Amino acid sequence: AQSVTQLDSQVPVFEEAPVELRCNYSSSVSVYLFWYVQYPNQGLQLLLKYLSGSTLVKGINGFEAEFNKSQTSFHLRKPSVHISDTAEYFCAVSGFGGGADGLTFGKGTHLIIQP
Amino acid sequence: KAGVTQTPRYLIKTRGQQVTLSCSPISGHRSVSWYQQTPGQGLQFLFEYFSETQRNKGNFPGRFSGRQFSNSRSEMNVSTLELGDSALYLCASSLFLGQTNNEQFFGPGTRLTVL
């Protein structure tokens, strides 16, 4: 079984400032890692994913994340945020082979962009 | 290509009633997964269907059930509704079975309120 911890429930940041949303996971097996974004009254949209290979993963909308196996982390970063980035962000993990648990999500981080 | 559609978008029921939610996956996608999203528990995996068969199941009571039709459309049913079943129910479709390197596309969800 896997678990995901998103350390911050809310992150306020000024427009055009950089941001980092933190995600730590625990698993007894190797994992795949994902970041999803949820805008108000909408479903989830995949931002990026780590399956294997380079530990720095680039996604849509200028986001990137770095997989750190030794620290079991997968933090999401953006160098300069915009008002339109205001949303809920979810980190998720899945064990190799799919597994019976589906995707395991963190509780989410609400990114608040201040003008 | 049309995205994942869920109907209805909003539902209000009373305790003890039953409810059926519908999900139409992206054309060509054969796997449909269901998730429950609540403020307290976050996003939790309910079950996954592929080729009309339930392939994976999360940790939910038997009151939660589902099915998939030959055209890949899926329904989930909740019987004997409880107040705690109030949630956003999200459906996700993907080409293949499994949650790993197989991108899931989420619908906008059905907001169920139990009074």
Side-chain angles (χ1 to χ4, degrees):
Chain A
Q2 301 88 37
S3 68
V4 178
T5 302
Q6 291 184 244
L7 297 163
D8 306 296
S9 60
Q10 254 186 193
V11 172
V13 63
F14 287 105
E15 195 173 13
E16 297 184 10
V19 69
E20 178 180 83
L21 306 184
R22 297 180 292 170
C23 171
N24 287 88
Y25 69 93
S26 84
S27 175
S28 56
V29 299
S30 296
V31 295
Y32 296 121
L33 294 155
F34 307 81
W35 274 100
Y36 284 86
V37 60
Q38 186 177 34
Y39 298 103
N41 299 315
Q42 293 187 31
L44 277 68
Q45 181 182 9
L46 181 67
L47 275 177
L48 47 80
K49 59 187 176 184
Y50 171 78
L51 304 180
S52 64
S54 172
T55 57
L56 182 62
V57 180
K58 293 191 183 297
I60 62 172
N61 300 342
F63 284 94
E64 63 181 33
E66 185 149 23
F67 171 56
N68 188 319
K69 189 174 181 179
S70 63
Q71 297 187 7
T72 61
S73 68
F74 190 55
H75 301 332
L76 181 72
R77 302 187 186 100
K78 186 169 183 178
S80 175
V81 296
H82 302 282
I83 288 286
S84 59
D85 292 323
T86 297
E88 194 83 16
Y89 291 80
F90 294 92
C91 181
V93 65
S94 179
F96 275 12
D101 297 332
L103 282 171
T104 300
F105 286 88
K107 291 291 177 75
T109 297
H110 189 196
L111 178 60
I112 302 167
I113 311 299
Q114 300 167 324
Chain B
K1 192 184 257 190
V4 178
T5 57
Q6 292 187 246
T7 56
R9 291 292 311 277
Y10 301 91
L11 262 180
I12 299 175
K13 293 286 188 179
T14 56
R15 278 182 300 174
Q17 287 186 309
Q18 75 164 19
V19 67
T20 299
L21 313 181
S22 180
C23 171
S24 293
I26 291 172
S27 176
H29 285 195
R30 297 174 61 193
S31 173
V32 173
S33 299
W34 289 89
Y35 292 84
Q36 182 196 64
Q37 185 178 20
T38 60
Q41 298 299 317
L43 278 153
Q44 293 183 284
F45 172 70
L46 279 156
F47 28 63
E48 179 179 16
Y49 284 85
F50 182 83
S51 292
E52 302 177 62
T53 303
Q54 187 181 92
R55 303 301 181 121
N56 293 307
K57 189 177 190 304
N59 188 27
F60 278 82
R63 300 185 297 107
F64 292 81
S65 63
R67 58 179 177 168
Q68 186 180 35
F69 302 94
S70 58
N71 61 358
S72 294
R73 189 177 70 87
S74 177
E75 290 180 347
M76 69 162 281
N77 185 77
V78 188
S79 62
T80 319
L81 284 166
E82 300 176 0
L83 294 179
D85 296 333
S86 294
L88 181 67
Y89 289 87
L90 291 166
C91 165
S93 79
S94 56
L95 276 170
F96 309 113
L97 177 67
Q99 314 285 326
T100 55
N101 58 346
N102 176 27
E103 182 175 349
Q104 292 187 87
F105 294 83
F106 283 79
T110 293
R111 171 82 56 192
L112 172 64
T113 303
V114 182
L115 302 176

